[in-house]
Amino acid sequence: MEEMIQAFFNADIARAAMPIVLAGLLNTLLMSLLVVPLGLMGGLALALGAHSRHPLVRWPLMAWVDFFRAFPPLVLLVLLFAGLPFAGLELGGFACVAIAFFLNTGAYYGEILRAGIESIPHGQVEAARSTGLSRLQTTTYIVLPQAVRNVLPDLLSNTLEVVKLTSLGSVVAVPELLYQARQAQSVTYNATPIVMAAVIYFLILWPLVRLLSRLENRALAGRG
Amino acid sequence: MTGWDRFAETFFNAKVMAKYLPDILYGMVVTIELAVLIILSGLFAGLVLALIRSLGVRPLNWLIIFIVDLFRSLPPLVIIVLIYFGLPAAGASPSGFVSTWISLALVLMAFAEEIFWAGITSVPRGQWEAARSTGLSFVQTLLEVVLPQALRLTIAPLTNRTIAITKGTALGTVVAVTEILGQASSAMSNSYNPSPLMMGATAYLVLFLPVVVAARWIETRFAWKR
């Protein structure tokens, strides 16, 4: 038991590693603040396009979404980080993460938002248009607010996944939470820093998980 | 040599591709093995937890909710790293393959439990009462009345979640699992050519694109009626 505590919950190592791990946490938060809006914007563009009635617009966008849903984000990241330099394009780890996430999470957000937009009856669009609202106004003021509300649990759930995915940055040397913890672990030969990282992830994401679980149960109860 | 030729020579080099094709194919087999193990054990464990939760034993339910919340909020890569680099200190040294399997199965278990549980609770209480009043036991009611209806509701969300988590097998490369990405990366550094990586990327598409397209169909077929 004593050995377990020494190996996983070592107070001295925790104290020494704290600044390193907290610096990682800051980067994780900053990364999330960048990639979530980026993904949402990409997703919105995809959703509006995929909702278009023109098949030449719709089908390529649907294929785009499926393509990136089938592609593991880590593979995408490695492709950008290790593959692109062969084409003479060397991006930093952070830029690679931003691009990979934009492509990957954009596809997921796009799929969710498309479902939301399709949940709004077409009669509403017609009614709004007939009162003199422009196409853009109808989308912004009538369709999107309701669409977002209808798929809010899915949007939040995807956001949770995106924040968790930022841990992939550790593979391309972005100094986020997991990377910092692993650095501290390899210096100290002790698992405590990784346990610290896990505890931090849990503490910041648990409220979101609780909220989601409630929203999901409520959504289902309404369907009974 | 035109720019396009040079590009093809670098990224789709026939000689390199022929040399490393067996490695990538071997990686595909490992990925499939890992995926099947994760799906079977994760879904099974999730269903078992949901069934235990339906018994309604308070302290047990709190424990289940905590476990589910824990594995929903931890990034899979953190769990893999913790098991692979941490457990040796506790006297167990799981291989990268086993670490990845256990980690992703736990994550799938957590998500599957939530989905199965949501499905079970979506069956109206009146059906429980009606079934019990006809003389069916609790277990019979659960297995023969509630679950068949609940499972139908869970198919679409479970499919999507299972695909997302199975794609995570690529994370195994961080702990030296010889799956597709691992094979492709080492082939790339051996040949100093990105063609194996392109093959690896293609291998993932060959495996997962049909599944994603099928999931789209399943989603419309078994959609939750709003």
Side-chain angles (χ1 to χ4, degrees):
Chain A
M1 192 63 208
E2 189 58 31
E3 277 168 33
M4 289 282 279
I5 293 177
Q6 283 302 312
F8 292 100
F9 305 98
N10 190 315
D12 291 335
I13 287 177
R15 219 169 295 127
M18 191 59 93
I20 300 168
V21 173
L22 285 183
L25 171 62
L26 184 68
N27 282 332
T28 290
L29 294 177
L30 288 176
M31 256 165 88
S32 305
L33 281 180
L34 175 77
V35 294
V36 169
L38 214 57
L40 269 174
M41 280 188 316
L44 187 59
L46 282 174
L48 290 175
H51 189 57
S52 141
R53 244 173 295 166
H54 203 297
L56 276 181
V57 178
R58 194 172 68 224
W59 289 111
L61 285 181
M62 300 268 269
W64 171 275
V65 167
D66 279 356
F67 182 86
F68 284 108
R69 286 210 305 174
F71 221 70
L74 182 59
V75 178
L76 194 57
L77 190 56
V78 170
L79 209 54
L80 292 172
F81 188 72
L84 275 188
F86 285 98
L89 194 58
E90 207 144 335
L91 300 170
F94 193 83
C96 289
V97 170
I99 297 172
F101 273 53
F102 175 69
L103 295 173
N104 174 67
T105 68
Y108 276 89
Y109 276 127
E111 190 60 13
I112 295 168
L113 287 170
R114 191 180 61 86
I117 293 173
E118 275 169 12
S119 74
I120 308 302
H122 198 65
Q124 291 209 20
V125 178
E126 285 160 9
R129 296 280 285 141
S130 71
T131 62
L133 291 185
S134 72
R135 212 178 272 271
L136 184 66
Q137 282 173 322
T138 307
T139 306
T140 331
Y141 297 120
I142 310 291
V143 177
L144 279 184
Q146 300 186 80
V148 168
R149 198 193 54 192
N150 283 352
V151 291
L152 193 60
D154 291 339
L155 284 177
L156 285 177
S157 158
N158 196 47
T159 304
L160 170 72
E161 295 306 309
V162 176
V163 177
K164 282 158 61 177
L165 268 184
T166 57
S167 61
L168 295 191
S170 65
V171 178
V172 294
V174 172
E176 46 74 61
L177 186 48
L178 179 59
Y179 181 84
Q180 295 288 88
R182 286 198 57 188
Q183 292 290 313
Q185 177 236 1
S186 58
V187 173
T188 57
Y189 293 107
N190 188 291
T192 306
I194 296 180
V195 173
M196 287 164 72
V199 170
I200 293 175
Y201 276 116
F202 181 62
L203 287 181
I204 56 173
L205 294 176
W206 197 19
L208 188 54
V209 170
R210 276 288 83 228
L211 174 73
L212 265 171
S213 163
R214 285 194 164 196
L215 285 175
E216 282 161 4
N217 276 333
R218 203 169 60 196
L220 238 136
R223 291 191 183 104
Chain B
M1 207 154 60
T2 63
W4 171 252
D5 283 342
R6 207 174 318 130
F7 178 81
E9 188 64 22
T10 310
F11 284 90
F12 301 96
N13 189 308
K15 244 168 66 195
V16 176
M17 285 176 128
K19 184 172 176 205
Y20 289 102
L21 182 65
D23 287 4
I24 303 288
L25 290 178
Y26 174 78
M28 276 176 96
V29 174
V30 175
T31 295
I32 293 171
E33 278 173 3
L34 198 49
V36 169
L37 284 173
I38 291 165
I39 294 171
L40 291 180
S41 48
L43 290 182
F44 178 74
L47 183 60
V48 168
L49 284 189
L51 291 177
I52 296 176
R53 194 167 165 190
S54 70
L55 297 176
V57 184
R58 272 274 173 89
L60 217 52
N61 283 5
W62 287 333
L63 184 66
I64 291 174
I65 293 173
F66 177 75
I67 291 172
V68 167
D69 281 3
L70 181 67
F71 288 111
R72 276 184 75 172
S73 41
L74 289 183
L77 187 55
V78 173
I79 307 173
I80 293 174
V81 167
L82 200 56
I83 289 182
Y84 185 75
F85 294 103
L87 276 197
S93 303
S95 66
F97 185 89
V98 172
S99 304
T100 311
W101 169 24
I102 297 177
S103 308
L104 294 179
L106 285 171
V107 174
L108 181 57
M109 170 192 82
F111 280 98
E113 192 280 338
E114 278 285 294
I115 296 171
F116 283 131
W117 174 245
I120 291 174
T121 48
S122 75
V123 177
R125 272 223 81 73
Q127 292 210 23
W128 279 94
E129 287 155 9
R132 293 302 302 278
S133 72
T134 62
L136 292 185
S137 71
F138 176 84
V139 176
Q140 280 176 318
T141 308
L142 184 63
L143 296 185
E144 285 161 31
V145 178
V146 177
L147 264 193
Q149 304 181 68
L151 289 185
R152 191 177 186 284
L153 285 177
T154 58
I155 288 173
L158 266 186
T159 317
N160 282 329
R161 191 54 76 179
T162 305
I163 295 172
I165 292 170
T166 314
K167 281 188 335 190
T169 49
L171 298 178
T173 180
V174 175
V175 291
V177 180
T178 50
E179 47 68 66
I180 300 172
L181 183 58
Q183 295 288 71
S185 300
S186 54
M188 181 171 68
S189 43
N190 287 338
S191 61
Y192 201 67
N193 180 289
S195 303
L197 200 54
M198 302 308 285
M199 281 162 78
T202 313
Y204 277 106
L205 288 179
V206 168
L207 286 185
F208 284 105
L209 205 51
V211 191
V212 169
V213 174
R216 207 185 257 290
W217 178 79
I218 287 172
E219 214 167 316
T220 44
R221 178 79 177 64
F222 294 96
W224 274 345
K225 298 278 181 293
R226 286 187 193 261

